[in-house]
């Protein structure tokens, strides 16, 4: 994806100022920076979920595979199917594990019968490393799983509809360290097949799982580059201070 000169306003308040950055396939790109700097806002610009919020305005361009996703003729609900969204708090539906995964795929006609549905459920649960854990209780409610399992179920649900880009907004904030480690390993595996953008407030996590990192401050993109460069040799004092924990 290419973000070109994007500015964004909530009413009179400007939340993003002239942001340009590229997001590459088969990489995890981390958005980092202090609370309120615009990370979630930019993430929501990428799949046009900000469109739903009233009194907002965006300028600039965002391209997906070279195509302007804000061009006339783009249907936002169709566009959004090319993205998966993993929220801060795991948000499975209060229905069975199977129903959680199959819901979107059934609506989109990706699966049309029980056999296809069950195959999809198995395939996606294997992809998130959960098949053996839950294969004997697929009828149980997704909401009864542990927090870490719920978040991996949400990834299974997201990938069941064949998205190209996975957008994750602080996906580990409600997880314990062990569940977080499992989640990070999963992100690393998913990178082979998806483009991943992850907002995280955990600098160790950003350093561990991303290949590129973008540092934001007060709606500005201060620095973007290889994760190693951002963490080991930041070009700006502000970024250095942030990644070394001097403020945040
Ligand atoms: N729905 C909204 N309406 C008005 N202002 C908002 C809304 N969402 C976010 N903001 C403001 O936009 C700025 C950026 O917010 P956000 O993108 O959520 O930052 P981050 O994710 O980095 O914490 C903040 O000043 C925030 O208060
Ligand atoms: Mg946020």
């Amino acid at each position: 994806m290419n973000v070109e000169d994007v500015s964004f306003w909530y009413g009179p308040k400007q939340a993003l100022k002239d942001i340009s950055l590229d997001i590459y396939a088969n990489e995890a790109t981390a958005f980092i920076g202090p609370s309120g700097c615009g990370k979630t806002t930019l993430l929501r610009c990428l799949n046009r979920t900000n469109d739903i919020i009233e009194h907002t305005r965006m300028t600039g361009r965002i391209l997906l595979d070279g195509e302007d996703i804000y061009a006339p003729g783009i249907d936002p609900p169709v566009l959004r199917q090319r993205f998966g969204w993993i929220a801060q708090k795991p948000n499975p539906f209060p229905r069975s594990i199977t129903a959680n995964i199959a819901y979107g795929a059934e609506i989109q006609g990706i699966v049309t019968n029980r056999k296809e549905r069950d195959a999809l459920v198995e395939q996606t649960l294997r992809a998130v490393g959960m098949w053996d854990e839950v294969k004997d209780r697929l009828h149980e409610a997704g909401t009864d799983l542990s927090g870490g399992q719920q978040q991996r179920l949400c990834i299974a649900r997201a990938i069941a509809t064949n998205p190209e880009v996975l957008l994750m907004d602080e996906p580990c904030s409600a997880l314990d360290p062990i569940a977080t480690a499992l989640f990070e390993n999963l992100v690393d595996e998913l990178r082979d097949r998806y483009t991943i953008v992850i907002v995280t407030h955990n600098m160790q996590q950003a350093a561990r799982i991303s290949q590129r990192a973008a540092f934001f401050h007060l709606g500005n993109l201060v620095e973007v580059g290889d994760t190693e460069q951002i963490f080991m040799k930041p070009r700006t004092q502000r970024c250095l201070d942030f990644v070394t924990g001097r403020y945040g």
Side-chain angles (χ1 to χ4, degrees):
M1 297 190 76
N2 314 94
V3 176
E4 298 179 351
D5 302 319
V6 165
S7 294
F8 188 88
W9 290 262
Y10 295 101
K13 190 192 147 52
Q14 187 168 6
L16 295 174
K17 297 172 187 164
D18 220 9
I19 308 293
S20 296
L21 68 101
D22 297 327
I23 294 162
Y24 295 92
N26 310 121
E27 282 191 355
T29 298
F31 288 176
I32 59 174
S35 183
C37 66
K39 306 179 295 293
T40 298
T41 300
L42 183 58
L43 206 63
R44 292 171 60 95
C45 285
L46 296 179
N47 71 344
R48 293 193 59 170
T49 37
N50 280 330
D51 289 25
I52 299 160
I53 305 175
E54 278 181 40
H55 310 299
T56 60
R57 184 163 72 89
M58 193 192 99
T59 59
R61 296 204 312 164
I62 298 181
L63 313 183
L64 173 56
D65 288 339
E67 188 187 8
D68 183 353
I69 63 169
Y70 284 84
I74 297 282
D75 184 15
V78 173
L79 173 80
R80 283 180 206 120
Q81 291 175 4
R82 299 174 70 181
F83 295 83
W85 183 277
I86 311 299
Q88 212 158 338
K89 232 176 132 247
N91 56 0
F93 311 128
R95 295 183 56 200
S96 71
I97 293 171
T98 297
N100 264 278
I101 295 171
Y103 180 74
E106 280 169 350
I107 287 179
Q108 291 182 34
I110 294 168
V111 294
T112 53
N113 59 49
R114 204 185 164 114
K115 192 162 159 248
E116 286 173 5
R117 182 199 68 182
D118 291 348
L120 179 72
V121 168
E122 176 169 350
Q123 174 208 324
T124 53
L125 284 171
R126 284 191 189 282
V128 299
M130 248 171 76
W131 175 247
D132 289 329
E133 283 165 61
V134 301
K135 65 179 180 213
D136 298 322
R137 47 192 182 114
L138 296 174
H139 57 281
E140 288 178 20
T143 40
D144 287 342
L145 296 168
S146 74
Q149 288 173 324
Q150 287 187 26
Q151 200 57 308
R152 282 182 287 145
L153 176 64
C154 289
I155 293 204
R157 180 177 69 187
I159 64 179
T161 54
N162 295 320
E164 295 157 56
V165 186
L166 297 178
L167 305 175
M168 307 185 176
D169 195 359
E170 306 199 18
C172 296
S173 34
L175 306 189
D176 64 38
I178 292 171
T180 296
L182 280 170
F183 189 92
E184 289 179 4
N185 289 340
L186 173 58
V187 168
D188 212 47
E189 286 170 20
L190 292 173
R191 201 151 53 76
D192 284 348
R193 274 174 293 149
Y194 304 95
T195 304
I196 296 173
V197 185
I198 180 166
V199 173
T200 175
H201 58 249
N202 180 326
M203 289 308 101
Q204 285 77 25
Q205 175 167 81
R208 278 192 300 265
I209 68 172
S210 70
Q211 287 66 52
R212 283 170 68 75
F215 169 62
F216 297 86
H217 186 260
L218 296 174
N220 295 293
L221 175 63
V222 179
E223 255 193 84
V224 59
D226 288 352
T227 296
E228 197 167 299
Q229 179 257 309
I230 293 288
F231 281 88
M232 306 302 284
K233 278 190 197 150
R235 282 182 286 265
T236 59
Q237 187 66 36
R238 187 161 264 159
C239 188
L240 177 71
D241 289 349
F242 185 76
V243 298
T244 54
R246 253 168 242 150
Y247 71 97

